[in-house]
Amino acid sequence: MHVLVTGGAGFIGGHLAQSFLGDGHDVTVLDAMDPFYDLGIKRHTVDVHERIADDNESNYRFVDGDVRDQALVTELVADADYVYHQAAKAGVRPSVEAPREYNEVNVDGTLNLLDAARDTDLERFVYASSSSVYGGREEYAPFAETDPTLPVSPYGVSKLAGERYACAYHEVYGLPTVALRYFTVYGPRMRPNMAISNFVSRCRNGEPPVVYGDGTQTRDFTFIADVVDANRTLLGTDAADGEAVNVGSTDTIQIRTLAAEIRDQLAPDLELEFAERYDADAEHTHADTAKAQELLAYDPDHTIREGVAKFIEWYERNREWYEPLVLAS
Ligand code: NAD
């Protein structure tokens, strides 16, 4: 079986590719090595893939290329049994500065892949969507897939457009597509510019963790292993074809509580630092995962405290190479 993972040098795609290789599947990674954060982290991920592929005698190909390149994308999709489309310009805040670029990569790039998949016998096309498609909420409540989608950031709009195209290609062309709406994913090799990596790396370096706003925002943080499990299930079921499905942990926490707990563990003498809140950031995220449970038997294994403990353990073991790259980003 041959899996194409776009964005496979990145955080989530990197873990997916690693898991597929570990199972002996052939994997092609397409990644443009976008310098959104230090490329050393992505190069490390590709090295890990090559090592696992050697150990498992599976075929691994890394293609340094762009999802906006239709000819390339068409060639790669033609060889694949499954496409896991994770490539994107990620991050809410930078999308406010460059909405058009987000649209080109996240929407046009997705369309290129869907078009390439249209006339093939692809087993499944899995699209990485986001909780940001729900947008801001007046009142706090878990997000269900039946809720309105009213994204407030250019990033959220682009992720929703890609998701709707994936669903439309299922409706109109019968392409087996599934969109997984990830809720803030964290874990080993995570992007440096996210709350948990920021809190841990700053505390480890004697600098106060930075909380945006008053920190009473809540997040449903999802540990990477649970996200990988949801994706792997899609290798073996068509139950979610044509659907958008939440993938969260349902265990929410206030940002300032999380920052304080990490600080208490790693650098108890530090005070939290507060910075101005970004308007495009959601106040609360909380996944209703009933649909994922029903269609994918999804049952996340990690509470936020268990996942953070695993991340800190991994961080300590990998501090030598990872920390300088996080701090450089
Ligand atoms: P990431 O930035 O680590 O990975 C994305 C990868 O896409 C990067 O390696 C980047 O080089 C690549 N890329 C960017 N532009 C490209 C292009 N034009 N052509 C080919 N490759 C390109 O981010 P991530 O956190 O691993 O996110 C993966 C996916 O999950 C994204 O689609 C993102 O929108 C989605 N998502 C992530 C989270 C999260 O919390 N991490 C939450 C919701 C959704």
Side-chain angles (χ1 to χ4, degrees):
M1 196 176 76
H2 185 181
V3 188
L4 171 63
V5 183
T6 72
F11 166 47
I12 299 174
H15 282 276
L16 293 181
Q18 184 173 335
S19 161
F20 297 142
L21 287 165
D23 286 344
H25 303 313
D26 296 336
V27 172
T28 297
V29 159
L30 169 64
D31 198 298
M33 299 303 254
D34 184 272
F36 178 43
Y37 55 85
D38 198 289
L39 291 178
I41 300 176
K42 300 184 189 189
R43 289 195 198 99
H44 179 95
T45 298
V46 173
D47 288 346
V48 169
H49 292 163
E50 285 170 350
R51 230 178 304 131
I52 296 174
D54 277 351
D55 291 349
N56 289 277
E57 294 180 4
S58 37
N59 292 310
Y60 177 69
R61 180 178 171 207
F62 171 73
V63 179
D64 186 345
D66 201 301
V67 291
R68 288 170 289 187
D69 180 344
Q70 177 75 70
L72 174 64
V73 157
T74 303
E75 177 203 319
L76 297 179
V77 171
D79 280 343
D81 299 307
Y82 289 84
V83 173
Y84 280 80
H85 177 33
Q86 313 294 306
K89 301 278 300 175
V92 167
R93 293 168 198 167
S95 76
V96 176
E97 306 299 322
R100 193 166 290 275
E101 201 182 337
Y102 273 67
N103 193 77
E104 284 165 8
V105 173
N106 297 2
V107 185
D108 295 343
T110 299
L111 261 180
N112 281 347
L113 283 149
L114 288 167
D115 268 339
R118 226 171 90 176
D119 298 321
T120 63
D121 295 325
L122 199 69
E123 296 283 341
R124 189 151 295 103
F125 184 108
V126 183
Y127 173 76
S129 189
S130 165
S131 60
S132 64
V133 303
Y134 290 107
R137 295 296 193 93
E138 291 299 316
E139 283 175 14
Y140 174 76
F143 302 0
E145 292 85 346
T146 46
D147 289 354
T149 44
L150 296 166
V152 290
S153 66
Y155 169 72
V157 172
S158 73
K159 294 309 290 183
L160 180 60
E163 179 191 299
R164 295 319 308 164
Y165 273 122
C167 293
Y169 272 55
H170 177 261
E171 280 298 312
V172 179
Y173 306 112
L175 188 68
T177 61
V178 179
L180 297 182
R181 292 179 178 166
Y182 302 150
F183 283 65
T184 323
V185 187
Y186 69 100
R189 301 197 303 258
M190 70 186 291
R191 296 200 328 249
N193 40 12
M194 297 182 78
I196 293 174
S197 46
N198 171 292
F199 295 162
V200 172
S201 61
R202 286 180 66 89
C203 287
R204 279 319 252 121
N205 283 279
E207 295 170 55
V210 181
V211 173
Y212 293 94
D214 65 1
T216 56
Q217 314 90 294
T218 57
R219 284 288 174 279
D220 186 328
F221 286 102
T222 317
F223 192 61
I224 183 67
D226 293 322
V227 170
V228 170
D229 278 352
N231 277 283
R232 284 164 57 100
T233 303
L234 290 170
L235 292 173
T237 176
D238 60 6
D241 285 359
E243 301 288 333
V245 182
N246 288 342
V247 174
S249 74
T250 73
D251 183 33
T252 65
I253 190 167
Q254 280 196 346
I255 296 289
R256 71 175 179 201
T257 306
L258 178 63
E261 288 189 11
I262 291 174
R263 183 269 321 269
D264 291 347
Q265 185 180 338
L266 298 180
D269 295 337
L270 292 175
E271 296 289 331
L272 302 188
E273 191 175 303
F274 290 88
E276 199 180 332
R277 183 180 180 280
Y278 283 86
D279 287 343
D281 280 345
E283 189 61 23
H284 303 288
T285 64
H286 186 177
D288 176 335
T289 57
K291 187 172 177 181
Q293 279 168 37
E294 187 194 327
L295 298 180
L296 306 176
Y298 173 68
D299 184 17
D301 256 354
H302 299 81
T303 63
I304 178 69
R305 288 175 179 87
E306 288 164 348
V308 167
K310 280 194 179 175
F311 176 67
I312 292 176
E313 223 177 85
W314 174 88
Y315 188 99
E316 297 299 346
R317 277 187 279 114
N318 291 272
R319 191 175 174 195
E320 203 175 318
W321 73 268
Y322 180 67
E323 188 171 86
L325 302 178
V326 171
L327 297 175
S329 293

